[in-house]
PDB file of all heavy atoms in Angstrom:
ATOM      1  N   LYS A  65      -6.245   5.730   0.390  1.00  0.00           N
ATOM      2  CA  LYS A  65      -6.710   6.318   1.661  1.00  0.00           C
ATOM      3  C   LYS A  65      -6.586   7.809   1.676  1.00  0.00           C
ATOM      4  O   LYS A  65      -7.347   8.508   2.380  1.00  0.00           O
ATOM      5  CB  LYS A  65      -6.004   5.713   2.823  1.00  0.00           C
ATOM      6  CG  LYS A  65      -6.349   4.254   3.090  1.00  0.00           C
ATOM      7  CD  LYS A  65      -7.811   4.181   3.504  1.00  0.00           C
ATOM      8  CE  LYS A  65      -8.123   2.762   3.887  1.00  0.00           C
ATOM      9  NZ  LYS A  65      -9.530   2.652   4.294  1.00  0.00           N
ATOM     10  N   ASN A  66      -5.645   8.358   0.967  1.00  0.00           N
ATOM     11  CA  ASN A  66      -5.448   9.788   0.895  1.00  0.00           C
ATOM     12  C   ASN A  66      -6.259  10.482  -0.257  1.00  0.00           C
ATOM     13  O   ASN A  66      -6.270  11.710  -0.342  1.00  0.00           O
ATOM     14  CB  ASN A  66      -3.979  10.152   0.665  1.00  0.00           C
ATOM     15  CG  ASN A  66      -3.138   9.992   1.943  1.00  0.00           C
ATOM     16  OD1 ASN A  66      -3.345  10.797   2.841  1.00  0.00           O
ATOM     17  ND2 ASN A  66      -2.340   9.010   1.978  1.00  0.00           N
ATOM     18  N   SER A  67      -6.872   9.662  -1.113  1.00  0.00           N
ATOM     19  CA  SER A  67      -7.656  10.278  -2.184  1.00  0.00           C
ATOM     20  C   SER A  67      -9.062  10.663  -1.642  1.00  0.00           C
ATOM     21  O   SER A  67      -9.394  10.206  -0.506  1.00  0.00           O
ATOM     22  CB  SER A  67      -7.806   9.282  -3.322  1.00  0.00           C
ATOM     23  OG  SER A  67      -8.712   8.263  -2.996  1.00  0.00           O
ATOM     24  N   GLN A  68      -9.761  11.382  -2.410  1.00  0.00           N
ATOM     25  CA  GLN A  68     -11.105  11.776  -1.965  1.00  0.00           C
ATOM     26  C   GLN A  68     -12.168  10.833  -2.567  1.00  0.00           C
ATOM     27  O   GLN A  68     -13.354  11.010  -2.384  1.00  0.00           O
ATOM     28  CB  GLN A  68     -11.419  13.182  -2.456  1.00  0.00           C
ATOM     29  CG  GLN A  68     -10.517  14.191  -1.777  1.00  0.00           C
ATOM     30  CD  GLN A  68     -10.724  15.595  -2.290  1.00  0.00           C
ATOM     31  OE1 GLN A  68     -11.446  15.864  -3.271  1.00  0.00           O
ATOM     32  NE2 GLN A  68     -10.001  16.552  -1.662  1.00  0.00           N
ATOM     33  N   LEU A  69     -11.729   9.747  -3.184  1.00  0.00           N
ATOM     34  CA  LEU A  69     -12.698   8.710  -3.689  1.00  0.00           C
ATOM     35  C   LEU A  69     -13.066   7.753  -2.599  1.00  0.00           C
ATOM     36  O   LEU A  69     -12.190   7.334  -1.832  1.00  0.00           O
ATOM     37  CB  LEU A  69     -12.105   8.023  -4.913  1.00  0.00           C
ATOM     38  CG  LEU A  69     -11.816   8.913  -6.166  1.00  0.00           C
ATOM     39  CD1 LEU A  69     -11.075   8.154  -7.201  1.00  0.00           C
ATOM     40  CD2 LEU A  69     -13.147   9.475  -6.692  1.00  0.00           C
ATOM     41  N   HIS A  70     -14.319   7.412  -2.538  1.00  0.00           N
ATOM     42  CA  HIS A  70     -14.768   6.477  -1.479  1.00  0.00           C
ATOM     43  C   HIS A  70     -14.863   5.084  -1.911  1.00  0.00           C
ATOM     44  O   HIS A  70     -15.096   4.186  -1.036  1.00  0.00           O
ATOM     45  CB  HIS A  70     -16.185   6.980  -1.003  1.00  0.00           C
ATOM     46  CG  HIS A  70     -16.127   8.396  -0.473  1.00  0.00           C
ATOM     47  ND1 HIS A  70     -15.521   8.711   0.752  1.00  0.00           N
ATOM     48  CD2 HIS A  70     -16.610   9.529  -0.935  1.00  0.00           C
ATOM     49  CE1 HIS A  70     -15.612   9.985   0.967  1.00  0.00           C
ATOM     50  NE2 HIS A  70     -16.279  10.528  -0.068  1.00  0.00           N
ATOM     51  N   HIS A  71     -14.677   4.751  -3.126  1.00  0.00           N
ATOM     52  CA  HIS A  71     -14.758   3.397  -3.682  1.00  0.00           C
ATOM     53  C   HIS A  71     -13.445   3.054  -4.327  1.00  0.00           C
ATOM     54  O   HIS A  71     -12.991   3.752  -5.212  1.00  0.00           O
ATOM     55  CB  HIS A  71     -15.896   3.242  -4.656  1.00  0.00           C
ATOM     56  CG  HIS A  71     -17.213   3.560  -4.079  1.00  0.00           C
ATOM     57  ND1 HIS A  71     -17.862   2.794  -3.168  1.00  0.00           N
ATOM     58  CD2 HIS A  71     -18.008   4.674  -4.206  1.00  0.00           C
ATOM     59  CE1 HIS A  71     -19.009   3.332  -2.805  1.00  0.00           C
ATOM     60  NE2 HIS A  71     -19.090   4.484  -3.423  1.00  0.00           N
ATOM     61  N   PHE A  72     -12.801   1.956  -3.798  1.00  0.00           N
ATOM     62  CA  PHE A  72     -11.515   1.589  -4.368  1.00  0.00           C
ATOM     63  C   PHE A  72     -11.563   1.235  -5.840  1.00  0.00           C
ATOM     64  O   PHE A  72     -10.591   1.547  -6.564  1.00  0.00           O
ATOM     65  CB  PHE A  72     -10.962   0.390  -3.579  1.00  0.00           C
ATOM     66  CG  PHE A  72      -9.583  -0.004  -4.031  1.00  0.00           C
ATOM     67  CD1 PHE A  72      -8.476   0.791  -3.690  1.00  0.00           C
ATOM     68  CD2 PHE A  72      -9.361  -1.168  -4.825  1.00  0.00           C
ATOM     69  CE1 PHE A  72      -7.229   0.483  -4.120  1.00  0.00           C
ATOM     70  CE2 PHE A  72      -8.090  -1.470  -5.233  1.00  0.00           C
ATOM     71  CZ  PHE A  72      -6.997  -0.663  -4.892  1.00  0.00           C
ATOM     72  N   LYS A  73     -12.667   0.602  -6.283  1.00  0.00           N
ATOM     73  CA  LYS A  73     -12.758   0.349  -7.721  1.00  0.00           C
ATOM     74  C   LYS A  73     -12.738   1.593  -8.580  1.00  0.00           C
ATOM     75  O   LYS A  73     -12.044   1.614  -9.646  1.00  0.00           O
ATOM     76  CB  LYS A  73     -14.048  -0.505  -7.965  1.00  0.00           C
ATOM     77  CG  LYS A  73     -14.099  -1.106  -9.337  1.00  0.00           C
ATOM     78  CD  LYS A  73     -15.266  -2.060  -9.438  1.00  0.00           C
ATOM     79  CE  LYS A  73     -15.052  -2.995 -10.601  1.00  0.00           C
ATOM     80  NZ  LYS A  73     -16.048  -4.046 -10.638  1.00  0.00           N
ATOM     81  N   ALA A  74     -13.400   2.643  -8.181  1.00  0.00           N
ATOM     82  CA  ALA A  74     -13.390   3.859  -8.923  1.00  0.00           C
ATOM     83  C   ALA A  74     -11.918   4.508  -8.889  1.00  0.00           C
ATOM     84  O   ALA A  74     -11.424   4.933  -9.869  1.00  0.00           O
ATOM     85  CB  ALA A  74     -14.397   4.884  -8.342  1.00  0.00           C
ATOM     86  N   PHE A  75     -11.280   4.452  -7.656  1.00  0.00           N
ATOM     87  CA  PHE A  75     -10.013   4.970  -7.557  1.00  0.00           C
ATOM     88  C   PHE A  75      -9.013   4.140  -8.523  1.00  0.00           C
ATOM     89  O   PHE A  75      -8.194   4.782  -9.181  1.00  0.00           O
ATOM     90  CB  PHE A  75      -9.489   4.832  -6.131  1.00  0.00           C
ATOM     91  CG  PHE A  75      -8.028   5.012  -5.959  1.00  0.00           C
ATOM     92  CD1 PHE A  75      -7.473   6.284  -5.988  1.00  0.00           C
ATOM     93  CD2 PHE A  75      -7.205   3.986  -5.841  1.00  0.00           C
ATOM     94  CE1 PHE A  75      -6.129   6.523  -5.855  1.00  0.00           C
ATOM     95  CE2 PHE A  75      -5.805   4.173  -5.669  1.00  0.00           C
ATOM     96  CZ  PHE A  75      -5.286   5.446  -5.695  1.00  0.00           C
ATOM     97  N   TYR A  76      -9.150   2.816  -8.473  1.00  0.00           N
ATOM     98  CA  TYR A  76      -8.170   2.027  -9.243  1.00  0.00           C
ATOM     99  C   TYR A  76      -8.420   2.195 -10.698  1.00  0.00           C
ATOM    100  O   TYR A  76      -7.427   2.208 -11.496  1.00  0.00           O
ATOM    101  CB  TYR A  76      -8.302   0.602  -8.820  1.00  0.00           C
ATOM    102  CG  TYR A  76      -7.153  -0.271  -9.320  1.00  0.00           C
ATOM    103  CD1 TYR A  76      -5.895  -0.032  -8.912  1.00  0.00           C
ATOM    104  CD2 TYR A  76      -7.399  -1.261 -10.313  1.00  0.00           C
ATOM    105  CE1 TYR A  76      -4.797  -0.780  -9.363  1.00  0.00           C
ATOM    106  CE2 TYR A  76      -6.335  -1.998 -10.774  1.00  0.00           C
ATOM    107  CZ  TYR A  76      -5.106  -1.803 -10.294  1.00  0.00           C
ATOM    108  OH  TYR A  76      -3.987  -2.504 -10.756  1.00  0.00           O
ATOM    109  N   SER A  77      -9.602   2.417 -11.206  1.00  0.00           N
ATOM    110  CA  SER A  77      -9.860   2.621 -12.589  1.00  0.00           C
ATOM    111  C   SER A  77      -9.279   3.938 -13.034  1.00  0.00           C
ATOM    112  O   SER A  77      -8.709   4.026 -14.125  1.00  0.00           O
ATOM    113  CB  SER A  77     -11.330   2.502 -12.942  1.00  0.00           C
ATOM    114  OG  SER A  77     -12.082   3.543 -12.323  1.00  0.00           O
ATOM    115  N   MET A  78      -9.380   4.971 -12.167  1.00  0.00           N
ATOM    116  CA  MET A  78      -8.750   6.249 -12.465  1.00  0.00           C
ATOM    117  C   MET A  78      -7.230   6.148 -12.475  1.00  0.00           C
ATOM    118  O   MET A  78      -6.560   6.721 -13.237  1.00  0.00           O
ATOM    119  CB  MET A  78      -9.208   7.379 -11.512  1.00  0.00           C
ATOM    120  CG  MET A  78     -10.661   7.784 -11.639  1.00  0.00           C
ATOM    121  SD  MET A  78     -10.945   8.427 -13.310  1.00  0.00           S
ATOM    122  CE  MET A  78     -12.233   7.179 -13.800  1.00  0.00           C
ATOM    123  N   LEU A  79      -6.694   5.410 -11.462  1.00  0.00           N
ATOM    124  CA  LEU A  79      -5.246   5.187 -11.437  1.00  0.00           C
ATOM    125  C   LEU A  79      -4.717   4.520 -12.774  1.00  0.00           C
ATOM    126  O   LEU A  79      -3.728   4.901 -13.315  1.00  0.00           O
ATOM    127  CB  LEU A  79      -4.931   4.297 -10.208  1.00  0.00           C
ATOM    128  CG  LEU A  79      -3.448   4.053  -9.952  1.00  0.00           C
ATOM    129  CD1 LEU A  79      -2.744   5.319  -9.460  1.00  0.00           C
ATOM    130  CD2 LEU A  79      -3.298   2.940  -8.921  1.00  0.00           C
ATOM    131  N   LYS A  80      -5.467   3.491 -13.181  1.00  0.00           N
ATOM    132  CA  LYS A  80      -5.059   2.832 -14.423  1.00  0.00           C
ATOM    133  C   LYS A  80      -5.209   3.729 -15.664  1.00  0.00           C
ATOM    134  O   LYS A  80      -4.335   3.675 -16.530  1.00  0.00           O
ATOM    135  CB  LYS A  80      -5.868   1.563 -14.638  1.00  0.00           C
ATOM    136  CG  LYS A  80      -5.493   0.429 -13.735  1.00  0.00           C
ATOM    137  CD  LYS A  80      -6.266  -0.821 -14.030  1.00  0.00           C
ATOM    138  CE  LYS A  80      -5.524  -1.594 -15.112  1.00  0.00           C
ATOM    139  NZ  LYS A  80      -5.987  -2.975 -15.224  1.00  0.00           N
ATOM    140  N   ARG A  81      -6.165   4.604 -15.630  1.00  0.00           N
ATOM    141  CA  ARG A  81      -6.397   5.440 -16.802  1.00  0.00           C
ATOM    142  C   ARG A  81      -5.406   6.579 -16.818  1.00  0.00           C
ATOM    143  O   ARG A  81      -4.856   6.883 -17.915  1.00  0.00           O
ATOM    144  CB  ARG A  81      -7.773   5.980 -16.668  1.00  0.00           C
ATOM    145  CG  ARG A  81      -8.138   6.798 -17.928  1.00  0.00           C
ATOM    146  CD  ARG A  81      -9.635   7.182 -17.886  1.00  0.00           C
ATOM    147  NE  ARG A  81      -9.974   8.085 -18.972  1.00  0.00           N
ATOM    148  CZ  ARG A  81     -11.076   8.707 -19.062  1.00  0.00           C
ATOM    149  NH1 ARG A  81     -11.967   8.595 -18.139  1.00  0.00           N
ATOM    150  NH2 ARG A  81     -11.293   9.509 -20.089  1.00  0.00           N
TER     151      ARG A  81
END
Side-chain angles (χ1 to χ4, degrees):
K65 288 296 185 179
N66 282 290
S67 74
Q68 296 175 355
L69 295 174
H70 299 289
H71 301 286
F72 183 73
K73 192 169 196 173
F75 168 78
Y76 193 65
S77 65
M78 290 301 116
L79 182 71
K80 285 184 89 164
R81 184 173 175 192

